[in-house]
Amino acid sequence: MLLSTLNMSNRDELTLEQLMETLSQEHTDQTVIELLRNYCLQSTSYDIQKKGMEFLYINGFYGELQQLIDKNNESMHCSNREWAAIYQIFIDRRLNRYTPQELFHRINQFSSDEPELVCLIEFARVTVFYQMNEFSNIGNFLAVQPKLFESIDDKLLISYFNIRLYQLLLTYYLTRNELIMARKYAYRILNHTTNTRTKVNTHIKLGVSYTFDTYQQGMFHLNEALKLSKKHNLTANIHLIEQRNIPFLSAHFNRVEGITSTDESEQAHIEIAKGNNAKALAILKKVSIDSPFKEYYMGLAKQDKNLLLQSYTNFIEKRSDYFFSRLPLNALKNFKH
């Protein structure tokens, strides 16, 4: 245990960064993560109690994070309670406990002179924008981000904030159809994170980024995501990859032999790839056409230019998604030939 690994008299005088450096001299990276996972909950250092929340968040230890939030809520230090309130927003957003509007209201209650807390407030705000598919608002964050980071001295905290930033930029550049930039940040995430869920989601986005390039590259990343998900028993991710991501990419490239899906939209997509438009249409008539993807599938099945145009418009106007807007746009171009 960490308590016996470090000298009892000085361990709470060390910062989280110093603790990590000390432990790294004798342990593997994964062991260090596990030791610090427990220590963040035990430490009596007010600084580690605060920054430990970021450590737990970035490494995907959400149960322990809630415990540390609760501990900080009882702190005699106002700063610890404020940090806890922001991390509670991150947890609540992940669990969809509140609407984006309710989260914005809570975020706007915050005002702080602490550089780290100011940065966390901005991360909270921009993540809610993403939840609402308002990707254009990333510009406001990118304008202030360098100045925010410059004000923070803690190198470990900055390294975690950089992972958060890379995740935002991956999504931003993917939706803007700037694939070289998107993939650059994807590989930075993979090289820096120890969070399995983050790696899985990054591989999924990398796989999807090859929708208009090569089937092999796309499937390579989806299979990497699937292997990681199975290794760590991430059942929700396994379902998403097997029933939606792989069927989508396979149908898009007309590689549907042996491909099935429990998702009705992707069932229709598979039938379209097989040339069974009537069967696809029968499937789609049973589902609500409530997304640009479903409009795209319906447009393909019915060979309807207006539906494809509607899908294209909604990808742009409702989701600011210039990447996937290429699906109906390419289909419309094919009508002209």
Side-chain angles (χ1 to χ4, degrees), residues 251 254 256 259 264-284 297-298 300-303:
N254 294 314
V256 291
I259 298 294
E264 290 179 318
S265 297
E266 289 310 322
Q267 289 172 11
H269 196 193
I270 291 166
E271 293 304 325
I272 292 165
K274 292 177 178 177
N276 301 332
N277 285 5
K279 190 171 180 180
L281 198 53
I283 295 169
L284 288 169
Y297 295 156
M298 184 67 89
L300 288 179
K302 294 180 76 171
Q303 294 288 285

Side-chain angles (χ1 to χ4, degrees), residues 292-310:
F293 280 103
K294 293 176 184 176
E295 290 167 350
Y296 165 65
Y297 295 156
M298 184 67 89
L300 288 179
K302 294 180 76 171
Q303 294 288 285
D304 187 323
K305 289 183 182 180
N306 289 330
L307 272 173
L308 291 171
L309 186 58
Q310 183 178 317

Side-chain angles (χ1 to χ4, degrees), residues 32 42 46 64 74 79 180 194 199 236 289 319 332:
V32 171
Q42 302 167 15
Y46 293 115
E64 289 85 350
E74 301 300 319
S79 173
I180 292 173
T194 54
K199 288 185 177 181
I289 308 302
R319 299 171 62 133
L332 282 166

Side-chain angles (χ1 to χ4, degrees), residues 61-74:
F61 302 136
Y62 302 117
E64 289 85 350
L65 172 56
Q66 186 62 66
Q67 292 177 50
L68 193 51
I69 289 170
D70 295 341
K71 185 174 182 178
N72 277 292
N73 276 330
E74 301 300 319

Side-chain angles (χ1 to χ4, degrees), residues 66-318:
Q66 186 62 66
Q67 292 177 50
L68 193 51
I69 289 170
D70 295 341
K71 185 174 182 178
N72 277 292
N73 276 330
E74 301 300 319
S75 174
M76 60 185 289
H77 292 270
C78 178
S79 173
N80 286 64
R81 298 194 300 273
E82 288 177 338
W83 279 54
I86 274 290
Y87 280 97
Q88 190 64 61
I89 288 174
F90 290 133
I91 289 281
D92 290 345
R93 189 197 66 80
R94 281 187 56 82
L95 299 176
N96 294 314
R97 287 174 172 161
Y98 298 91
T99 67
Q101 290 74 21
E102 289 170 327
L103 291 174
F104 270 130
H105 178 72
R106 285 167 63 188
I107 293 165
N108 290 334
Q109 306 300 307
F110 285 93
S111 177
S112 177
D113 296 327
E114 281 187 72
E116 299 91 345
L117 192 53
V118 171
C119 205
L120 286 166
I121 292 166
E122 289 305 313
F123 270 126
R125 185 172 284 117
V126 79
T127 346
V128 176
F129 277 131
Y130 267 46
Q131 188 179 359
M132 299 167 69
N133 292 318
E134 293 186 12
F135 299 115
S136 53
N137 284 292
I138 185 71
N140 298 328
F141 177 74
L142 292 178
V144 298
Q145 174 267 323
K147 190 174 180 182
L148 290 174
F149 280 25
E150 282 171 14
S151 306
I152 299 172
D153 295 326
D154 191 307
K155 288 190 292 184
L156 184 62
L157 204 58
I158 282 294
S159 74
Y160 292 154
F161 284 179
N162 273 322
I163 293 172
R164 284 181 181 252
L165 179 63
Y166 300 154
Q167 289 176 283
L168 292 171
L169 289 171
L170 165 57
T171 304
Y172 175 69
Y173 283 117
L174 187 57
T175 60
R176 304 303 289 181
N177 196 34
E178 297 181 38
L179 301 182
I180 292 173
M181 293 295 288
R183 290 168 189 156
K184 178 179 86 169
Y185 287 109
Y187 284 112
R188 283 191 184 178
I189 295 166
L190 292 175
N191 288 333
H192 289 91
T193 189
T194 54
N195 184 341
T196 301
R197 283 186 178 85
T198 299
K199 288 185 177 181
V200 167
N201 291 330
T202 302
H203 275 299
I204 289 173
K205 286 182 178 175
L206 268 172
V208 166
S209 80
Y210 287 95
T211 297
F212 304 101
D213 294 324
T214 65
Y215 173 75
Q216 287 78 11
Q217 279 286 89
M219 285 301 295
F220 168 79
H221 287 291
L222 292 183
N223 283 320
E224 286 295 303
L226 187 58
K227 278 191 285 186
L228 277 170
S229 299
K230 287 181 174 179
K231 181 179 178 182
H232 296 274
N233 198 30
L234 304 177
T235 51
N237 290 101
I238 293 168
H239 180 81
L240 175 70
I241 298 161
E242 289 185 335
Q243 306 305 327
R244 294 181 67 182
N245 299 130
I246 288 176
F248 166 77
L249 205 64
S250 300
H252 179 72
F253 281 99
N254 294 314
R255 305 281 288 269
V256 291
E257 187 177 347
I259 298 294
T260 59
S261 176
T262 57
D263 183 281
E264 290 179 318
S265 297
E266 289 310 322
Q267 289 172 11
H269 196 193
I270 291 166
E271 293 304 325
I272 292 165
K274 292 177 178 177
N276 301 332
N277 285 5
K279 190 171 180 180
L281 198 53
I283 295 169
L284 288 169
K285 282 182 177 176
K286 294 186 289 184
V287 303
S288 176
I289 308 302
D290 55 2
S291 75
F293 280 103
K294 293 176 184 176
E295 290 167 350
Y296 165 65
Y297 295 156
M298 184 67 89
L300 288 179
K302 294 180 76 171
Q303 294 288 285
D304 187 323
K305 289 183 182 180
N306 289 330
L307 272 173
L308 291 171
L309 186 58
Q310 183 178 317
S311 168
Y312 172 76
T313 302
N314 286 335
F315 269 121
I316 300 293
E317 293 184 356
K318 292 186 177 179

